[in-house]
Amino acid sequence: MTVALVLGAGGLTGQAFHAGVLSGLADATGWDARDAALIVGTSAGSSAGAYIRTGLSPADAAATLRGRPRSAEGDEIMGRLGEAGDWRTPVGRRTLPRPPHARLLRRLATRPWELRPETVVAVSLPKGRVPPETWTDALHGVTGPGWSREPLWICAVRVEDGHRVVFGRDDAPTTDLATAVGASSAIPGYFRPVEIGGHHYVDGAAYSATNADLVLPLRPDLVIISSPMSVARSAMTLDLRTAPRLHFRRRLAQEVRRLRTAGIPVVAFQPSPEDRAVMGGDTMAEGRDAAVVEQVHATTLRRVARADMARRLAAIT
């Protein structure tokens, strides 16, 4: 089986969501995320994917966030993680919204259908004032100076023209894994854009919170998607707090439709009502890791036990 794993954006609670989904899948089916033929990571999903590609098992990722003992292998990997700096305190003066770059204006004038409204807004926001290095410097100890040996694609958006750039592919600028994770996670208006090869990059979620369509050329036997920022059908409500999740659900549905039209089976995990209640409304809230992992792990076990889900996952059990 060729399995592609898509890990979406979602901040701190999103990382815990991924840990709950992947540890639940491992417990229920025996499938280990480290065996994925390709991992596509965006924002929180980029760091989760980086840890997987450095060898951290789903069980050890979940144990880390739950404050429980890890395996010896997990201890060795996480023991290389440096101390994170202060990623809450802005540095420098506030800036005004940026006028669109000339390259972005040319795209808007000649190929406006290629640009998503949320992308244009994201690259036009004032520069964030928190240096991503406050936490990516710590990640360097785990990921090292290069890239992972196994396929890992990290999504970001280039500020100058709004293009989605996929680090780790042959057509992308060369950089190290930790720096690419920083670029993919640079929330517009909060984190300072990351400079790579003379260009500046922000959060890949400015294009899509999942970017699942990227796996289409690989034509995998199965695509597994963990999407913390969207919402399961059972958790859909019509209110302002749910509106962003409905938007991300719609984007994900478009990507899933393309994959299924090509004959590629897809299994997507999105927050249930119970998951949402534990995750809360602030994706960057601290102190919820253990509760989110436990709740999402339980939700995943229930979902995988359903007959329809079991049939779709039968090939990896």
Side-chain angles (χ1 to χ4, degrees):
M1 281 287 292
T2 301
V3 180
L5 176 62
V6 176
L7 301 172
L12 298 179
T13 57
Q15 293 184 44
F17 184 89
H18 293 318
V21 167
L22 298 180
S23 61
L25 271 176
D27 289 344
T29 70
W31 183 74
D32 191 318
R34 293 175 294 182
D35 295 331
L38 169 66
I39 297 176
V40 176
T42 303
S43 199
S46 69
S47 56
Y51 280 115
I52 293 169
R53 284 311 196 208
T54 58
L56 192 69
S57 71
D60 281 331
T64 299
L65 293 175
R66 295 169 81 177
R68 296 187 177 180
R70 297 180 292 253
S71 68
E73 181 183 35
D75 280 341
E76 190 280 325
I77 293 170
M78 296 307 296
R80 303 199 304 264
L81 183 67
E83 289 291 330
D86 179 7
W87 56 270
R88 290 286 192 183
T89 304
V91 176
R93 297 180 178 178
R94 295 181 182 273
T95 60
L96 296 173
R98 289 169 291 186
H101 193 279
R103 292 175 61 182
L104 181 64
L105 290 174
R106 281 197 295 271
R107 285 193 73 194
L108 283 169
T110 60
R111 299 185 302 278
W113 58 87
E114 292 183 356
L115 282 160
R116 296 179 171 183
E118 59 265 42
T119 303
V120 176
V121 171
V123 300
S124 302
L125 288 173
K127 287 185 178 180
R129 298 164 59 211
V130 176
E133 295 81 10
T134 52
W135 62 274
T136 56
D137 283 351
L139 187 60
H140 277 288
V142 177
T143 59
W147 203 264
S148 66
R149 290 190 296 271
E150 300 297 325
L152 172 62
W153 293 353
I154 301 298
C155 304
V157 169
R158 192 163 55 210
V159 170
E160 287 81 359
D161 56 13
H163 269 292
R164 175 175 63 176
V165 174
V166 186
F167 294 105
R169 291 201 314 194
D170 292 340
D171 60 352
T174 300
T175 189
D176 64 88
L177 181 50
T179 300
V181 169
S184 181
S185 307
I187 301 170
Y190 184 81
F191 284 114
R192 190 171 60 201
V194 174
E195 183 175 356
I196 298 173
H199 294 285
H200 296 86
Y201 297 88
V202 292
D203 199 321
Y207 181 86
S208 165
T210 43
N211 293 289
D213 59 300
L214 290 172
V215 309
L216 186 57
L218 182 66
R219 300 195 67 83
D221 298 307
L222 176 66
V223 179
I224 296 174
I225 302 172
S226 176
S227 176
M229 290 191 72
S230 56
V231 60
R233 184 183 300 275
S234 59
M236 291 172 58
T237 56
L238 296 177
D239 55 67
L240 290 177
R241 291 184 61 185
T242 310
R245 290 188 174 275
L246 294 175
H247 168 75
F248 292 125
R249 178 183 171 86
R250 183 175 66 86
R251 288 291 188 208
L252 175 59
Q254 293 170 343
E255 296 164 5
V256 169
R257 192 177 305 117
R258 289 188 62 190
L259 295 170
R260 288 178 173 162
T261 299
I264 300 171
V266 179
V267 174
F269 294 89
Q270 304 177 78
S272 69
E274 298 81 6
D275 298 339
R276 282 194 60 192
V278 176
M279 294 169 75
D282 181 4
T283 62
M284 299 301 287
E286 298 181 86
R288 296 181 181 172
D289 292 347
V292 172
V293 172
E294 291 190 21
Q295 172 58 52
V296 176
H297 181 274
T299 301
T300 302
L301 292 180
R302 288 197 301 271
R303 287 201 63 195
V304 173
R306 286 174 10 200
D308 61 327
M309 183 69 74
R311 284 194 299 271
R312 282 184 279 170
L313 293 172
I316 62 172
T317 58

